[in-house]
Amino acid sequence: MSAVIEVSVAHRLGAFSLDAAFASDGRLTVLFGRSGSGKTSLVNVISGLIRPQAGRVVIDGRAMVDSAAGIFVPKHKRRIGYVFQEARLFPHLSVRQNLLYGRWFAPKAEDGGSRLDDVLDLLGISHLLHRQPGALSGGEKQRVAIGRALLAKPRLLLMDEPLASLDEERKAEILPYIERLRDGFGIPIVYVSHSIAEVARLATHLVILDQGKVSMSGPTAELMSRPDVPILSASAEAGAVLDARVLRHEPEHGLTVLETAAGPLQIARRSVPEGTALRVRILASDVMLSLKPLDGISALNVLPGQVTAIGAPHGDGGALEVRLDCNGVGLLARLTVKSAEQLQLKPGGLVYAVIKSVSIDTP
Amino acid sequence: MSDWLSPEEWTAVRLSLIVATTAMLASLPLGLAIAWLLARGRFWGKSLLDAVIHLPLILPPVVTGYLLLIGFGRRGPIGQFLYDWFGIVLSFRWTGAALACAVMGFPLMVRAIRLSIEAIDRKLEDAAGTLGAGPFWVFLTVTLPLALPGILAGMILCFAKAMGEFGATITFVSNIPGETQTLPSAIYTFTQVPNGDAGAMRLTLISIAISVAALFASEFLARLVGRRIAVE
């Protein structure tokens, strides 16, 4: 099967040059990188706002750009939805008119598109229909902008840091909607972000950009548990992402037990029904390593695993990341160089990862 | 009212309104196009076009009128072409007065529209593009409505200028009662005859009333449109 989205671009903009290639068939591909790494330029190439000097952009088997074959589909014919950093709602139209704007131009015949009611429902914006955009809060505007892009029946949805201009509370308000969009709408999404928390929560496929080049591309869980991706593993927020399922609740202890491929995990109680699939994020700095199974320790989670890789020291040379393989699941632990030496860790060695229940995050 | 003004004076008032309205409406499409070109276009000779458009603003009106006479008169190159092909005669007709007024009001109209187009956030137009709107539809559904306050202002300015146009009009189409004698020409005529003071004063008052009304209308419209757009 060919990838949903295939991009390879060479483009020079003044002193900055974009020279990036990736392919993804993830439901939600995150383009991740520092500001200035070319994320937005790359999305603008995909959307057609920038005409690259050379390159190829293929969405769902259709070539949007192919400089070798002289193909350049103009932006209004690509059917690629775009949610900008600022909502960019039309100020002279009501929310309803904004939402339906793209539908005007979308093909009428095929009924593959989303219905207004579904979108209103998904985004929780039914009560805003008759307002003017100026009267909306930042979070509401962004939800309307997402709805507007969806209703244009896009083949692909681009989101350029849609949460960047919002405060923490508004972000928390919108994230669940984006998850629902990813899981329930069947439209592939390319999402630009420089936040590891957003990557951990949303991404199924991760593309890391650095100075206009793709430095790495692959499934999120795999990249996030690698010790040799400095932008991820050396950051304070480095950590592994695991897929988990709620096994049972232990109300008497205020705990929820999760089932993961690495073994059971006990975490602080979550109010979700049993059987729910969720993502668990375990920060590297929350994982301790032990050479023997431990008794008499307060931490509830001890996962056996094998050391697969040891990263280079970073920071002031005092810390490094160790990657473990726990029954096929990658886990990342941050140790001081000294403890790594004392434990004489080397690839292939057996260790036990110790994780406190309270520090396990379900983003 | 009709016994307050003489029939001739009435004719001049009515003619002025017709000429100014025609000048305003007829120059609007071209004004929009030129304003858009100047605001968004990137082409060779843009500053030249800009200068030519603004020329009537700085040239003596008599000069503009004379140039119109040379170009659009019955024997002028453009005038002859219009007559031969379409049977249109401009010189010494009210249509010629409208043309003179339009030329004089054009820079004011273009300027107002251009400024309002330049003030539009182009990101909104990009957003419309990603939603499937081609360039024409983007212009029609985003650019035009957002530029509406400037368009209205430009129309009113052009209208007001046309109501007051004198020099170019009288040079191009003369001062024929009932055909080309607009308000200013009529006032001028009154000042040239004995005992014309009363008539000149009446027409002056009407002229002031129309100008003030146009000013208020533009303020009102701009506020009405502005309220819809600028809740942001």
Side-chain angles (χ1 to χ4, degrees):
Chain A
M1 193 193 116
S2 70
V4 171
I5 167 165
E6 249 183 277
V7 178
S8 70
V9 175
H11 189 70
R12 183 170 273 283
L13 259 175
F16 179 78
S17 81
L18 184 68
D19 189 1
F22 72 91
S24 164
D25 43 19
R27 281 173 298 152
L28 193 147
T29 305
V30 168
L31 302 182
F32 178 81
R34 297 189 182 86
S35 34
S37 57
K39 306 179 297 259
T40 299
S41 305
L42 192 53
V43 184
N44 283 344
V45 166
I46 299 173
S47 69
L49 293 178
I50 294 180
R51 183 178 191 143
Q53 280 139 7
R56 243 168 80 82
V57 175
V58 180
I59 312 288
D60 245 346
R62 290 188 186 83
M64 296 293 160
V65 179
D66 191 337
S67 53
I71 297 174
F72 179 82
V73 180
K75 58 178 178 281
H76 61 280
K77 292 193 178 140
R78 292 196 182 186
R79 296 188 36 221
I80 295 180
Y82 198 150
V83 178
F84 300 90
Q85 211 172 100
E86 347 74 64
R88 297 198 195 179
L89 299 180
F90 303 125
H92 57 297
L93 301 178
S94 70
V95 167
R96 185 190 167 83
Q97 290 168 322
N98 263 285
L99 285 168
L100 294 178
Y101 186 88
R103 175 174 277 199
W104 255 59
F105 305 104
K108 305 279 179 294
E110 59 182 281
D111 203 43
S114 332
R115 293 203 352 263
L116 179 62
D117 291 343
D118 296 343
V119 171
L120 292 177
D121 236 28
L122 174 90
L123 297 166
I125 47 176
S126 317
H127 62 293
L128 304 175
L129 270 188
H130 300 291
R131 300 234 205 122
Q132 290 295 121
L136 304 183
S137 74
E140 289 169 337
K141 275 185 196 164
Q142 208 53 273
R143 269 145 67 196
V144 173
I146 295 171
R148 181 178 70 172
L150 275 180
L151 284 165
K153 304 186 184 170
R155 295 188 181 114
L156 174 76
L157 191 61
L158 303 175
M159 305 179 99
D160 183 9
E161 306 208 32
L163 308 181
S165 57
L166 305 176
D167 56 41
E168 289 305 320
E169 249 172 86
R170 295 286 92 70
K171 281 183 193 170
E173 167 195 325
I174 294 190
L175 275 167
Y177 294 113
I178 299 179
E179 281 178 317
R180 284 162 71 182
L181 189 60
R182 174 193 68 196
D183 298 335
F185 252 71
I187 299 171
I189 301 171
V190 172
Y191 187 105
V192 168
S193 175
H194 64 256
S195 148
I196 294 184
E198 282 172 32
V199 171
R201 177 155 177 177
L202 298 173
T204 60
H205 188 101
L206 184 57
V207 176
I208 300 175
L209 279 168
D210 189 23
Q211 296 181 358
K213 293 186 171 52
V214 172
S215 65
M216 238 162 237
S217 167
T220 309
E222 196 183 306
L223 286 198
M224 295 224 31
S225 61
R226 280 173 70 155
D228 59 342
V229 188
I231 191 173
L232 294 176
S233 56
S235 115
E237 291 185 275
V241 175
L242 280 67
D243 287 318
R245 209 170 54 79
V246 176
L247 203 59
R248 62 175 188 277
H249 296 292
E250 289 182 8
E252 66 276 24
H253 297 123
L255 288 175
T256 295
V257 182
L258 305 178
E259 185 185 33
T260 74
L265 281 179
Q266 305 182 53
I267 65 170
R269 167 122 211 214
R270 298 297 131 105
S271 48
V272 287
E274 288 176 11
T276 310
L278 40 82
R279 274 188 168 195
V280 181
R281 184 164 169 231
I282 301 175
L283 292 182
S285 52
D286 287 332
V287 179
M288 280 190 289
L289 294 185
S290 155
L291 292 177
K292 296 187 203 104
L294 292 170
D295 312 318
I297 188 169
S298 65
L300 291 171
N301 301 301
V302 179
L303 302 173
Q306 202 172 24
V307 176
T308 52
I310 299 174
H314 60 80
D316 295 326
L320 52 73
E321 276 72 42
V322 176
R323 186 197 146 108
L324 310 178
D325 183 319
C326 304
N327 194 24
V329 178
L331 210 60
L332 212 54
R334 173 168 297 161
L335 309 181
T336 59
V337 173
K338 188 173 175 185
S339 17
E341 275 169 13
Q342 283 178 352
L343 295 178
Q344 293 179 313
L345 292 179
K346 51 182 169 297
L350 278 178
V351 288
Y352 295 85
V354 182
I355 308 146
K356 285 173 75 169
S357 295
V358 289
S359 56
I360 295 179
D361 192 17
T362 53
Chain B
M1 189 86 175
S2 49
D3 31 298
W4 186 59
L5 285 178
S6 73
E8 292 80 28
E9 290 163 8
W10 251 124
T11 310
V13 171
R14 211 173 48 229
L15 185 69
S16 258
L17 288 172
I18 292 174
V19 164
T21 310
T22 309
M24 172 181 80
L25 293 178
S27 53
L28 183 60
L30 189 65
L32 265 174
I34 301 265
W36 187 84
L37 265 181
L38 289 176
R40 290 291 155 82
R42 259 197 249 148
F43 53 92
W44 187 90
K46 182 169 158 179
S47 31
L48 192 71
L49 176 66
D50 197 24
V52 169
I53 299 291
H54 279 89
L55 220 48
L57 214 55
I58 41 172
L59 281 180
V62 180
V63 172
T64 308
Y66 185 62
L67 289 174
L68 285 174
L69 193 57
I70 295 175
F72 289 86
R74 272 293 287 276
R75 266 177 235 105
I78 308 174
Q80 201 155 18
F81 170 80
L82 287 177
Y83 179 71
D84 290 348
W85 287 83
F86 305 103
I88 295 174
V89 180
L90 290 169
S91 52
F92 308 109
R93 298 284 168 82
W94 74 269
T95 44
L99 175 66
C101 289
V103 168
M104 295 300 285
F106 199 62
L108 298 171
M109 174 185 270
V110 167
R111 198 174 178 77
I113 300 177
R114 175 191 179 168
L115 286 176
S116 68
I117 290 181
E118 279 173 347
I120 295 172
D121 190 350
R122 301 200 63 173
K123 292 172 172 177
L124 289 174
E125 298 173 335
D126 281 346
T130 64
L131 290 165
F136 173 74
W137 285 108
V138 171
F139 179 76
L140 209 64
T141 57
V142 178
T143 318
L144 212 51
L146 288 176
L148 202 55
I151 295 172
L152 288 173
M155 288 172 72
I156 304 264
L157 274 173
C158 181
F159 179 82
K161 176 73 188 172
M163 284 300 293
E165 216 305 305
F166 175 68
T169 312
I170 205 164
T171 313
F172 181 33
V173 292
S174 182
N175 186 358
I176 307 162
E179 185 65 43
T180 65
Q181 189 177 67
T182 55
L183 254 181
S185 315
I187 294 173
Y188 173 75
T189 308
F190 270 121
T191 62
Q192 300 301 304
V193 298
N195 306 322
D197 293 351
M201 184 50 78
R202 283 196 296 272
L203 290 182
T204 302
L205 288 176
I206 290 181
S207 190
I208 293 174
I210 293 176
S211 303
V212 171
L215 198 67
F216 276 126
S218 91
E219 281 289 308
F220 175 73
L221 286 175
R223 209 171 303 166
L224 198 72
V225 175
R227 196 167 44 216
R228 279 203 62 202
I229 293 178
V231 234
E232 204 75 16

